Amino acid sequence: MKSPLAVHLICMNEKQPTVNSIIYARIPTPPRGFEDDRWDHQVDSCEDYATRHGFTVVDVMQDYGSHLDHLGRAFGYIAKHARHYEATKLVVLNYDALVRGDSFRLYWLLWSLEHHHGLQVVPVVGKAITRETDPCYAALAVFFDEVARKQNAHE
């Protein structure tokens, strides 16, 4: 019989699956030159979080503009790069980087990224919204699932 220490060391040496992640950082206005450090804080915080959680950062997207105005462009970029890099995590400083003040849009975006692209949004600051942690999101996700099922049945 192996000692607990030997079992622990064997487990530590087993290759862990790679979790590819994309960092998304957004600022509301265009950068003001090379000295603009608004992105640096977000990207550094996200990189630190990814490292602590064993994620491999495969891409960093830096965007600016109103969250709702740029969401379409950002969403397309994120989806394309998630497929290309086989990413399963989207690391953001907080959910405001994606959608500010509109819970329904945020819930739809979280569901859509997960449902269509297999991408889970992970905030550095704040509690992650999942079906298990947020009853409102769980209820809306069931609704979104049903709508998607009906759309697929008609296609």
Side-chain angles (χ1 to χ4, degrees), residues 44-57:
D44 290 347
S45 296
C46 291
E47 285 177 340
D48 289 345
Y49 180 93
T51 299
R52 283 193 321 271
H53 289 83
F55 303 164
T56 300
V57 176

Side-chain angles (χ1 to χ4, degrees), residues 30-86:
R32 295 181 286 234
F34 294 111
E35 297 82 33
D36 195 335
D37 62 355
R38 294 177 292 168
W39 274 322
D40 294 342
H41 168 68
Q42 290 183 53
V43 172
D44 290 347
S45 296
C46 291
E47 285 177 340
D48 289 345
Y49 180 93
T51 299
R52 283 193 321 271
H53 289 83
F55 303 164
T56 300
V57 176
V58 294
D59 195 15
V60 175
M61 179 183 179
Q62 295 175 308
D63 196 9
Y64 68 88
S66 171
H67 53 283
L68 295 179
D69 292 340
H70 279 47
L71 195 56
R73 183 185 72 190
F75 183 85
Y77 177 93
I78 291 166
K80 175 182 167 188
H81 285 246
R83 281 190 306 276
H84 177 76
Y85 292 112
E86 298 180 351

Side-chain angles (χ1 to χ4, degrees), residues 1 32 34-35 65 81 85 88 90 103 115 117 130 143 153:
M1 180 170 164
R32 295 181 286 234
F34 294 111
E35 297 82 33
H81 285 246
Y85 292 112
T88 58
L90 178 66
S103 296
H115 181 80
H117 306 289
T130 67
F143 169 73

